[in-house]
Amino acid sequence: MTISSTTYRNQYTANGSNTVFAYTFKIFAEGDIAVLVDGVLKTITTHYTVSGVGSGSGGNITFLTAPSNGAVVTIRRNEPLTQEIDYVENDDFPAVAHEEGLDRSVIRDQTLQEQIDRCVKVADGSAVTALTFADPTGNAGYFLRVNATEDGYDYQSVVSSGSLVVSPFIETLLDDTTAAAARTTLGVTSVPFTAASSSTSAYLDLAEDTDNGTNRVRLIAPTSLAADYTVTLPSATGTLLTSAFNVVRRQVFTATGTYTPHANMLYCDIEVWGGGGGGGGVTNVGGASGGGGGAGGYARKVVSAATIGASQSVTIGAGGTAGANTGGTGGTGGTTSVGTIVSATGGSGGSGSTSGTTVSGGDGGLGSSGDINVRGQAGGIGQDNGATNRSTGFGGSTSLGGGGKGIAMPASAGNAGTANSGGGGSGAGTNSNGAFAGGAGGSGYVVITEFCSA
C-alpha cells in the first residue's frame, strides 16, 4: 500500500485515568514506535502494549498504568535504519516485499524529518553552509555567542578580562565577593527589605527624601494569609491610604465636655441627639391636658482624624423645662453638637392648657451637617373628650426611646423624658383636681465610634 499521510507523531495531555492513546500512522513492527511521557522514553511490555501493527490507519498504545493528570504523552515513529529485503537472482519479482521496502524508505524519511524539524537551523537564505559548535568541555557557566568571523559560534564568559570597559567605581563593585561588601560600596547602610522566615514576616522600607531626614514607611506582611492579597497603587494623581483600622473604640458623652481622639484614630463615626422638649402644664380646670414635648433631632457623620484635629468641644443639649402649672408651654430642648462638625437641635415644648380644649404637641428637633440628618418624633397632642375620656400628650421618642409616657384619667404632673435619650416630656393632666406641671425633656447624647490602626 502507499504512504499518503505525512503524520509521523501524535501528542496528548493525559487526564490521570485514560490508558489508551491512538497513533495514526503505519508501523511494521511493535518496535517501530517510540512512546514518551513528559519526555521520558517508556519500554514496551513494561509500560505499554501496541496494537494495530501493519494497519495503514495506525492503532493504539495501551498503558499498563494511566499516565498522571497533565502529563504529556508523545507517540512517534522509530523506524530502524536498516534494509532487510533480500532480492534472489532469477526469482519472481517480490512485489509485496518491494513495496514494503519503498514504504519503509518513506517512513524512514519522515522519521528523519521529524528529528530535523526539532533541530536548530539557519534560515534558508543564509550564506552559512557548514555550521559547527565548539566542544562544550571545559566551558561550564559560559554562554554561546556568534564568533568574531560571523560564521559560527564560540563560548564566552559573562565578563572576561579586557572584554568590557567599566569605570573605576564599577571595578570596586565587581571585585566585592559578598552582598555586605557590595552594599558598603554602594553606600547602602541598611537593607530596605527582608525575606520571610518561619518566625518573621517579610517587610519593605520606603524612605523619605534624603534632604528631609531618615524616616521611613515600613510595609509588613501579616503573619498568615488565607490566599494571595494584592495591593493596587492608585494613579499618579491619586492618594494611597497606608493604614487600615484594626481596633474599634468608643467614647460616650452624657455631659458637655471635650472630645480628645485616640492617638491611633484614623476615622470616627459621630452620632448626636438633641435634647427633648418639655411637656405642657395645666391649670386647675376641668379636662385640661398638656401637649407632649418633641424629641430631639439626630445626626450622624463620619470624619477623618485630620478633621477632628487635637480635640473638639462637645455640647450636650439640655432637656426642655417642664411647662409650668399655670398652663405654661414646655421649654425647647438644647442643641447637641461636636464642634462645628455636626449638630442636632432640641425638640420644641408641648403646649400648655388653661381650658378643656385639645392642644398641640411640640415639633421634633432636626439634625444638621451630618451624612444622615433626622427629625425627632413630634410630641402627642393633649386632648379632652369629656371628663371620663381624657389623655395628655406623650413625649416624642428618639431612636434611643426615652419619651415621657402620656397620662390617662388620673390627674397628674407630666412624666419626664429619660435623661440622655433626647426624649420629650409628656404633658400634665387634670380634671379640676389641681394644677400640674408638665414633664421635663430628656437631655441629649453623643456617641463617637473610633476606627483605629492599633
Side-chain angles (χ1 to χ4, degrees):
M1 62 176 293
T2 61
I3 303 295
S4 59
S5 172
T6 59
T7 300
Y8 42 73
R9 64 181 285 169
N10 300 112
Q11 196 167 65
Y12 305 93
T13 299
N15 61 11
S17 60
N18 188 34
T19 58
V20 179
F21 297 85
Y23 64 92
T24 58
F25 45 84
K26 182 179 180 179
I27 61 174
F28 290 96
E30 291 181 345
D32 293 353
I33 199 167
V35 178
L36 301 94
V37 177
D38 282 340
V40 178
L41 184 65
K42 298 300 177 180
T43 303
I44 190 170
T45 68
T46 300
H47 299 117
Y48 64 90
T49 59
V50 181
S51 65
V53 173
S55 172
S57 58
N60 292 319
I61 298 298
T62 302
F63 284 93
L64 277 62
T65 302
S68 60
N69 184 37
V72 177
V73 177
T74 303
I75 307 170
R76 64 173 178 82
R77 280 198 180 105
N78 189 33
E79 179 72 12
L81 302 179
T82 58
Q83 199 289 103
E84 298 180 354
I85 299 174
D86 184 22
Y87 290 86
V88 179
E89 187 176 358
N90 297 320
D91 274 3
D92 293 336
F93 181 72
V96 174
H98 183 78
E99 184 177 12
E100 179 182 328
L102 294 176
D103 289 347
R104 283 184 177 276
S105 66
V106 171
I107 289 172
R108 188 177 296 113
D109 289 343
Q110 291 181 348
T111 300
L112 294 173
Q113 185 63 49
E114 188 271 339
Q115 296 179 22
I116 293 171
D117 288 343
R118 290 186 284 110
C119 293
V120 177
K121 303 181 287 291
V122 296
D124 288 342
S126 173
V128 177
T129 57
L131 186 61
T132 59
F133 291 90
D135 187 347
T137 303
N139 291 306
Y142 282 47
F143 67 90
L144 195 64
R145 70 169 186 176
V146 177
N147 62 21
T149 55
E150 299 181 356
D151 59 358
Y153 296 89
D154 59 17
Y155 296 99
Q156 175 65 53
S157 63
V158 176
V159 176
S160 63
S161 176
S163 64
L164 183 65
V165 178
V166 297
S167 67
F169 173 77
I170 294 298
E171 286 184 356
T172 62
L173 179 63
L174 292 177
D175 65 9
D176 290 335
T177 58
T178 65
R183 287 196 298 271
T184 300
T185 300
L186 294 171
V188 179
T189 57
S190 62
V191 181
F193 60 89
T194 184
S197 70
S198 60
S199 59
T200 60
S201 297
Y203 68 79
L204 172 65
D205 285 343
L206 304 177
E208 63 184 339
D209 293 343
T210 55
D211 59 348
N212 287 332
T214 58
N215 296 321
R216 63 191 178 184
V217 174
R218 174 163 288 185
L219 305 179
I220 304 176
T223 54
S224 64
L225 289 170
D228 289 345
Y229 185 79
T230 301
V231 176
T232 302
L233 299 178
S235 62
T237 57
T239 300
L240 176 64
L241 177 64
T242 57
S243 298
F245 74 86
N246 297 305
V247 179
V248 178
R249 295 181 171 88
R250 182 169 287 116
Q251 296 194 39
V252 175
F253 293 85
T254 58
T256 295
T258 300
Y259 166 51
T260 301
H262 190 276
N264 296 324
M265 190 269 283
L266 302 174
Y267 288 86
C268 65
D269 184 1
I270 304 174
E271 297 179 272
V272 296
W273 289 264
V282 294
T283 58
N284 187 19
V285 297
S289 297
Y298 168 78
R300 182 175 184 174
K301 188 170 187 176
V302 176
V303 296
S304 66
T307 300
I308 295 297
S311 64
Q312 291 288 331
S313 61
V314 175
T315 301
I316 299 297
T321 57
N325 62 2
T326 57
T329 297
T332 298
T335 296
T336 298
S337 63
V338 176
T340 59
I341 296 171
V342 63
S343 63
T345 61
S348 299
S351 298
S353 177
T354 58
S355 64
T357 59
T358 298
V359 298
S360 299
D363 289 332
L366 180 64
S368 177
S369 301
D371 302 320
I372 301 172
N373 300 297
V374 179
R375 183 176 291 280
Q377 183 185 26
I381 61 174
Q383 59 181 356
D384 180 67
N385 295 323
T388 61
N389 190 15
R390 180 191 74 253
S391 62
T392 68
F394 61 81
S397 290
T398 66
S399 57
L400 301 173
K405 182 176 67 174
I407 302 168
M409 278 295 293
S412 175
N415 292 311
T418 302
N420 299 121
S421 71
S426 70
T430 186
N431 190 23
S432 299
N433 303 102
F436 297 96
S443 53
Y445 195 51
V446 170
V447 176
I448 301 178
T449 303
E450 298 178 320
F451 301 93
C452 306
S453 60

